[in-house]
Amino acid sequence: MSGLGEQLAGRFREMFYAYSNRMERSAQTTLGPSEIGTPCDRRVAMSLLRVPPVNPGGDNWASFVGTCVHAGLAEMFMSADANQGRFAVEVPLTFPSTLVPKGTSDLLDRTLFMVDDHKVMGRWSLDSLRTKGKPSEVYRVQLHVYGYGQQLKGERIEYVAIIAWPRENSNLDDLYVWVEPYDPSVALEALARVERIAASIHDRIGTGLEERNPLQVSATFPIRNDCRFCPFYAPGDKTMERGCNGKN
Ligand code: SF4
């Protein structure tokens, strides 16, 4: 790069970081369906206790690309729908939970009775999905919760699917779709688990933990290590002053 090119690259990076940080700050303040499928109770407790995230997980570029691809796919499916009513995109949903009150479902297919979620995946994640033949529990729970929200709106739902779009390829040869029958019990159990963890937080605060900070309260919850992409992961923080060190 030339000297001027280097300068411009630096400015564009700064512009992007400022923009993506602003977007993060205006993000939702309640829990969303994408957060509640984690196997780690402590992570749910930290979200409920509003512990500030400390693990940015890269510079947000991948999630920005994902957001842009989502917008493009929404246009594509609206165009495919041509006002016939087969596809509904970006559907706002509500759930019977004050802790997880709402979400937005990427796509409903009223011909296949299917709720779809777009995942824009890098090579590693896509290979992992293909090799295992199933998504993470986080993604699976998210999908069934969307299915439940759609059902509450009166839609007939029989299947849920993840459509994994390759982020790093120049074609769609590696597009991967995972499907399973819709099971509302997955959603109900996930929502009930959040309620149980919230009640547990209440109990712990009521038994003398009120002088402790939210991090100390959440530290009393069991973990199931799922740390790499956890927003609270602070591996060097032995005494959990800033975030979670991933240990009991
Ligand atoms: S860092 Fe790991 S152990 Fe700690 S809350 Fe996150 S997922 Fe759970």
Side-chain angles (χ1 to χ4, degrees), residues 206-245:
T207 54
L209 282 174
E210 67 272 10
E211 284 147 39
R212 299 195 195 174
N213 67 31
L215 268 164
Q216 288 173 307
V217 176
S218 50
T220 62
F221 281 82
I223 62 169
R224 281 266 307 277
N225 289 63
D226 176 28
C227 305
R228 194 166 155 223
F229 299 109
C230 177
F232 308 113
Y233 191 37
D237 189 355
K238 285 190 185 135
T239 50
M240 290 190 53
E241 302 294 324
R242 291 187 313 113
C244 173
N245 54 29

Side-chain angles (χ1 to χ4, degrees), residues 74 76-91 106-112 114 116 163:
M76 184 187 89
F77 279 98
M78 276 193 290
S79 166
D81 181 66
N83 290 325
Q84 297 301 300
R86 170 174 178 174
F87 296 117
V89 303
E90 300 289 331
V91 184
D106 285 343
L107 182 65
L108 169 69
D109 182 337
R110 293 194 181 97
T111 298
L112 298 179
M114 186 181 287
D116 303 282
I163 312 176

